[in-house]
């Protein structure tokens, strides 16, 4: 039985040991995975903060606060370092953005906003970086096109939408005329497809105008300047022209009322500054400020309202804000050492008080130290008393350290003084007087009345920051660190002695730059020795016969300032753009192009089926054409010469569409003269475009196709056919050597009828660039009669043979 019991107890013992080991391992594992205590997290955060690892310090403080939310110490530490943790991400983002890494910079700014949700600078940088990223993405699409802004939306927010010109044709205008100003206006209107109305009192005069590839807005502005007139749109495709006088402008210019609400006013004077600016720069007299609402009501012309909107957007900006870290560090150390023996340096000998002697043969007792001449000879040794001072051995050493560190933070608005006072108010007597005669007339009262003034003793800081656009800050500082160092009795009144360290300074620092304003180091050494002459200088023995006293006082104080911008200047690119606002007597927006010219449309589909139709459209329309002009232009620029030629062959003669007016019977024929010619490389030659079977032809927009690798357009001139009746013909042309296309429009003056028959429509001059075969063809022709109806037309191409200059004869039929 005994062996059996032994065999059974072993498994139970093994099981118990295994269970104990498992429990021990579980406890150790629980201890290892247990979160750090709040106190250890706080100490860890202090160490990280001292290393200026603010992000990790903030996380440690925050975790300690979450574990013990009722402890104010943890909460204060987390709130204090939250700003610095967010500022670290802001600084990293600014560096990345300056390096061109916009996506990474945006991620850092978003981290800053997540860490410190109240960081205005983080929100501003996020918005600014997102705008830069969006601009970079749209740079290719927006290249060469002016962005639409407040200028194009002059009446945004008003009761009626603004009237903007929407011309049917956006082709550049080239025009040379010396005619009546009315005729010049009407010619330009015909080219752009807009109507021109004139004031009843308009006095026309003859002017000379030369326009070379200008837009409609530029052409109208130049004509108005030359003829001393002004115009304004009355419908999207009509303008009204009148003489440029103060009376006519006041009579015809529209008036708009708008209320502007300023969002960032902090003082009443700021509203008045904006009002004075508008009155002075825009010459607006009907303007009323509403201080209670922070608003301005303006009645002026649409251009003045648009400019007022621009100026208010430029001026109504939130002021920048700065947090300044102030560190006042003072370290004091005092060391005193006394070493040696203080021996007596004097001996006093005196008559003993119990002196006795014989006076006149009889023994007497003298209880005083007075002696007579008769008693001198009777003195003996017991009648004297000798006094020897005691000797003192001193072994003393004292060492004291005092460290005072004050680190306040001051948040201030740009241009506004911020004051911080930390310390006590100490009373100081400033004067005293007697109360005067008593009420009973018994005399002067002995009471004295003393006045006191309280002085601020401690750390007193006055800071006025000025934030600049390059993320630097100018600080105007007055720093005063004072303390009561003692007391002095003046006139029976104990007055405090105040030690003061004052600094007044004005400096400019970069954002986040640490600056040492002033360091004061005071070092005092005092050494003294007393002892017996000679023996005091003997080594080792000097400590037995002399006493040595040593004092060392060190006092160092340092002032450190670090500015942090938490709300920067919010200045956009629109705020920095200059504007042309007219002349000294007339306020108007200059450089505004019609709405249709500001739109950009990308070509879609097959470019070969979207060939442009130059010149004005068939009829006056109140809405944009179905196929935008910019889209058709882009299609031609992207199409190759072979594609354009294939498109011409597939389309054949131009025919009206369902939206165009009915065609006049009898197709016109366009051809080149000569039909074939030969030239050499480097020579110039002329080719006429001849029209036949034309009926009442008033305008001829034509698109010509040539080989840009072999030919170069030198000149386009009027052929004389549309000048029948001695009429002045307007000619516009635009050559695109990249696609080998020339857009030409020749047009008779309005209300002069059309030309019929056969003749030279225009003449083109080319220069041969390289040898080979080149083809000239008419890709599109939009001939129109005097009633603005489309005339069907067809064209025949011509071939040019170009030979090398050394072997080729002169061109057949070439016009040198």
């Amino acid at each position: 039985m005994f062996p059996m019991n032994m065999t059974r107890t072993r498994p139970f013992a093994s099981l118990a040991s295994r269970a104990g080991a498992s429990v021990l391992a579980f406890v150790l594992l629980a201890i290892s995975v247990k979160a750090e205590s709040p106190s250890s997290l706080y100490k860890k955060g202090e160490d990280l903060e001292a290393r200026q690892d603010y992000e990790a310090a903030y996380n440690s403080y925050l975790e300690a606060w979450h574990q013990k939310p009722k402890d104010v110490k943890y909460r204060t530490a987390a709130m204090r370092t939250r700003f610095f943790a967010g500022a670290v991400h802001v600084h990293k983002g600014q560096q990345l953005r300056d390096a061109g890494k916009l996506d990474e910079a945006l991620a850092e700014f978003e981290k800053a906003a997540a860490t410190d949700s109240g960081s205005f600078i983080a929100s501003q940088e996020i918005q600014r970086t997102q705008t830069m990223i969006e601009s970079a993405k749209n740079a290719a699409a927006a290249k060469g096109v002016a962005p639409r802004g407040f200028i194009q939306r002059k009446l945004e927010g008003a009761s009626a939408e603004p009237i903007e010109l929407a011309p049917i044709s956006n082709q550049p205008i080239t025009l040379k005329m010396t005619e009546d100003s009315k005729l010049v206006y009407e010619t330009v209107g015909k080219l752009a497809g807009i109507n021109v109305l004139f004031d009843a009192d308009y006095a026309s005069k003859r002017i000379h105008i030369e326009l070379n590839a200008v837009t409609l807005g530029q052409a109208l502005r130049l004509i108005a300047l030359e003829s001393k007139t002004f115009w304004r749109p009355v419908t999207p495709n009509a303008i009204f022209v009148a003489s440029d006088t103060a009376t006519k402008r006041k009579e015809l210019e529209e008036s708009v009322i708008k209320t502007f609400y300023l969002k960032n006013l902090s003082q009443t004077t700021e509203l008045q500054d904006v009002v004075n600016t508008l009155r002075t720069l825009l010459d607006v007299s009907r303007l009323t400020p509403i201080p209670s609402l922070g608003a301005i009501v303006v009645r002026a012309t649409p251009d003045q309202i648009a400019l007022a909107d621009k100026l208010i957007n430029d001026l109504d900006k939130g002021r920048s804000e700065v947090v300044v870290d102030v560190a006042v560090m003072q370290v004091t150390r005092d060391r005193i050492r006394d070493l040696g023996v203080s021996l007596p340096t004097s001996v006093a000998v005196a008559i003993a008080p119990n002196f006795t002697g014989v006076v006149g043969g009889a023994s007497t007792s003298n209880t005083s130290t007075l002696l007579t001449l008769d008693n001198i000879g009777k003195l003996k040794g017991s009648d004297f008393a000798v006094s020897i001072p005691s000797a003192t051995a001193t072994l003393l050493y004292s060492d004291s350290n005092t460290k005072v560190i004050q680190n306040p933070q001051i948040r201030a608005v740009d241009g506004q003084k911020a004051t911080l006072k930390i310390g006590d108010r100490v009373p100081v007597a400033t004067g005293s007087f007697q109360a005067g005669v008593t009420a009973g007339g018994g005399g002067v009262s002995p009471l004295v009345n003393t006045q006191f003034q309280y002085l601020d003793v401690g750390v007193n800081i006055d800071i006025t920051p000025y934030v600049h656009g390059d993320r630097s800050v100018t600080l105007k500082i007055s720093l005063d660190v004072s303390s009561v160092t003692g007391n002095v009795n003046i006139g029976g009144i104990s007055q405090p002695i105040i030690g003061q360290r004052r600094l007044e300074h004005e400096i400019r620092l970069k954002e986040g730059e640490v600056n040492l304003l002033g360091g004061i180091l005071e070092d005092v050494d005092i050494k003294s020795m007393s002892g017996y002459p000679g023996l005091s200088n003997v080594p080792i023995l000097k400590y037995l016969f002399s006493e040595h006293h040593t004092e060392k006082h060190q006092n160092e104080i340092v002032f450190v300032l670090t500015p942090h911008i938490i709300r920067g200047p919010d200045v956009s690119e629109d705020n920095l753009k200059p504007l042309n606002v007219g002349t000294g007597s007339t306020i108007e927006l200059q450089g505004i192009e019609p709405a249709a010219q500001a739109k950009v449309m990308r070509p879609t589909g097959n470019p070969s089926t979207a060939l442009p139709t130059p010149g004005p459209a068939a009829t006056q329309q109140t809405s944009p054409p179905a196929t935008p002009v910019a889209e058709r232009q882009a299609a031609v620029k992207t199409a190759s010469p072979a594609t354009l030629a294939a498109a011409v062959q597939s389309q054949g003669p131009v025919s009206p569409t369902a939206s165009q007016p009915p065609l006049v019977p009898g197709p016109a024929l366009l051809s080149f003269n000569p039909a074939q010619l030969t030239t050499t490389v480097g020579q110039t030659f002329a080719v006429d475009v001849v029209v036949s079977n034309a009926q009442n032809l008033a305008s001829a927009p034509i698109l010509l196709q040539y080989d840009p690798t072999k030919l170069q357009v030198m000149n386009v001139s009027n052929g004389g056919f549309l000048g029948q009746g001695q009429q002045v013909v307007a000619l516009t042309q635009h050559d695109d050597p990249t696609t080998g296309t020339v857009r030409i429009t020749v047009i008779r003056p309005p209300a002069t009828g059309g030309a019929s028959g056969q003749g030279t429509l225009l003449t083109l001059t080319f220069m041969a660039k390289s040898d080979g075969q080149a083809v000239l063809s008419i890709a599109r022709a939009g001939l129109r009669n005097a009633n603005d109806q489309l005339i069907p037309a067809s064209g025949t191409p011509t071939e040019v043979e170009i030979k090398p200059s050394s072997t080729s004869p002169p061109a057949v039929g070439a016009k040198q």
Side-chain angles (χ1 to χ4, degrees), residues 445-524:
S445 173
L447 301 178
V448 176
N449 192 348
T450 303
Q451 296 83 39
F452 291 90
Q453 178 182 358
Y454 286 86
L455 300 180
D456 294 318
V457 177
V459 178
N460 303 316
I461 305 172
D462 292 334
I463 294 180
T464 304
Y466 298 94
V467 182
H468 306 286
D470 58 349
R471 296 206 297 267
S472 62
V473 183
T474 295
L475 298 176
K476 187 176 182 180
I477 308 159
S478 176
L479 180 62
D480 184 1
V481 179
S482 57
S483 61
V484 177
T485 59
N487 292 278
V488 61
N489 192 295
I490 301 176
I493 300 177
S494 179
Q495 298 277 42
I497 299 175
I498 299 176
Q500 186 181 52
R501 294 174 178 85
R502 184 176 182 86
L503 176 67
E504 292 187 0
H505 203 31
E506 186 169 345
I507 56 175
R508 180 165 177 169
L509 303 173
K510 293 182 179 180
E511 198 272 337
E513 179 181 359
V514 179
N515 183 71
L516 177 67
L517 287 183
I520 301 174
L521 176 61
E522 181 182 359
D523 195 345
V524 179

Side-chain angles (χ1 to χ4, degrees), residues 138-473:
N138 299 332
K143 186 177 181 180
V145 179
R148 288 181 56 83
F150 69 93
I151 299 180
Q152 287 78 11
R153 305 186 302 272
K154 294 192 297 183
L155 295 180
E156 182 180 5
S159 58
E161 291 296 328
I163 299 176
E164 297 183 356
L165 277 181
I168 297 175
S169 175
N170 295 322
Q171 295 297 322
I173 297 175
T174 300
L175 181 64
K176 298 180 181 180
M177 296 182 66
T178 303
E179 290 292 337
D180 185 81
S181 58
K182 280 189 176 182
L183 182 59
V184 176
Y185 267 117
E186 290 174 346
T187 302
V188 171
K190 190 71 174 178
L191 292 174
I194 62 173
N195 299 318
V196 182
L197 307 177
F198 294 93
D199 182 58
D201 300 330
Y202 178 79
S204 180
K205 64 177 182 179
R206 190 178 182 84
I207 61 173
H208 174 73
I209 195 75
E210 291 189 10
L211 306 175
N212 294 310
V214 298
T215 63
L216 173 61
Q218 295 170 345
L220 293 176
R221 187 160 57 252
L222 293 174
I223 297 173
L225 182 64
E226 184 70 23
S227 61
K228 300 198 181 309
T229 58
F230 77 98
W231 60 272
R232 67 177 182 88
V234 291
T235 65
N237 63 343
I239 62 173
F240 189 85
V241 183
S243 300
D244 191 4
T245 62
T247 303
K248 284 297 180 183
R249 282 190 174 271
K250 186 175 181 180
E251 176 184 346
L252 297 176
E253 284 186 336
E254 297 177 346
S255 183
V256 179
I257 293 179
K258 185 172 181 179
T259 303
F260 299 95
Y261 292 92
L262 280 69
K263 303 177 182 178
N264 297 287
L265 294 179
S266 58
Q267 298 178 0
T268 307
T269 56
E270 296 177 358
L271 179 64
Q272 191 60 42
D273 291 341
V274 177
V275 171
N276 294 337
T277 302
L278 297 180
R279 284 177 176 167
T280 303
L281 296 181
L282 302 183
D283 196 19
V284 178
S285 58
R286 289 172 290 188
L287 182 149
T288 303
I290 313 295
S292 60
L293 298 177
I296 304 174
V297 181
V298 183
R299 180 185 176 186
T301 65
D303 287 349
Q304 288 174 324
I305 291 292
L307 291 172
D309 193 6
K310 198 268 183 191
L311 289 177
I312 290 176
N313 287 334
D314 292 345
L315 301 177
D316 186 22
K317 301 290 185 181
R319 288 195 176 189
S320 303
E321 294 186 53
V322 180
V323 168
V324 182
D325 288 333
V326 182
V328 180
M329 296 174 286
Q330 182 176 2
V331 179
T332 303
R333 184 175 185 180
D334 297 327
R335 289 185 295 177
I336 301 175
R337 187 184 67 177
D338 290 322
L339 181 63
V341 178
S342 179
L343 297 175
T345 59
S346 63
V347 177
V349 179
I351 301 298
N354 56 354
F355 166 72
T356 58
V358 179
V359 180
S363 178
T364 61
S365 177
N366 185 11
T367 59
S368 67
T369 58
L370 296 177
L371 292 176
T372 62
L373 293 176
D374 295 335
N375 294 335
I376 293 177
K378 302 175 181 181
L379 294 175
K380 53 186 178 185
S382 60
D383 295 332
F384 293 93
V386 178
S387 299
I388 299 177
S390 61
T392 304
T394 304
L395 296 173
L396 175 64
Y397 180 80
S398 64
D399 190 348
S400 62
N401 288 314
T402 303
K403 181 174 67 173
V404 179
I405 298 178
Q406 294 176 328
N407 189 16
Q409 289 182 344
I410 303 176
R411 178 167 177 167
V413 179
D414 182 31
Q416 300 294 322
K417 184 174 73 172
T419 301
L420 176 65
K421 297 181 182 296
I422 304 175
D424 303 321
R425 292 176 60 84
V426 178
V428 178
T430 58
S432 62
F433 62 90
Q434 292 182 342
V437 181
T438 59
V444 178
S445 173
L447 301 178
V448 176
N449 192 348
T450 303
Q451 296 83 39
F452 291 90
Q453 178 182 358
Y454 286 86
L455 300 180
D456 294 318
V457 177
V459 178
N460 303 316
I461 305 172
D462 292 334
I463 294 180
T464 304
Y466 298 94
V467 182
H468 306 286
D470 58 349
R471 296 206 297 267
S472 62
V473 183

Side-chain angles (χ1 to χ4, degrees), residues 671-673 687-691 700-702 704 715-722 731-732 744-746 759-764:
S671 60
F672 294 96
N673 183 30
V687 178
D688 295 332
V689 178
V690 179
V691 60
I702 299 174
L704 298 180
N715 186 41
V716 179
S717 59
N718 180 30
F721 175 75
L722 290 182
L731 185 146
T732 63
I744 307 170
T745 300
V746 285
T760 301
L761 191 61
L762 51 92
T763 300
L764 296 95

Side-chain angles (χ1 to χ4, degrees), residues 539-658:
I540 300 176
L541 295 178
K542 64 180 179 180
Y543 295 108
L544 299 177
F545 297 97
S546 63
E547 181 182 8
H548 295 263
H549 176 78
T550 302
E551 291 186 20
K552 187 176 183 63
H553 302 279
Q554 290 181 338
N555 188 10
E556 183 178 7
I557 183 169
V558 177
F559 307 105
V560 179
L561 290 185
T562 306
H564 300 278
I565 300 176
I566 60 175
R567 187 200 297 266
D570 188 12
V571 180
S572 63
E573 294 184 0
D574 287 337
N575 301 139
L576 302 177
K577 290 180 179 178
L579 293 179
N580 189 345
V581 296
T583 62
S585 59
T586 303
I587 301 295
E588 61 181 356
L589 290 175
Q590 300 288 340
I592 303 178
E593 301 301 332
Q597 296 184 11
K599 297 178 181 178
V600 178
M601 301 280 296
R602 291 184 177 274
T604 57
N606 188 354
S608 63
T609 61
L611 296 177
T613 303
T619 59
Q620 297 174 354
Q621 302 177 5
T622 58
S623 59
T627 303
V629 176
E631 181 178 353
R632 297 196 301 267
Q633 292 176 351
V636 172
K637 291 182 180 180
T638 56
S640 62
T643 303
L644 291 171
V648 173
Q649 295 177 3
S650 62
Q651 291 182 357
V654 179
S655 60
T657 62

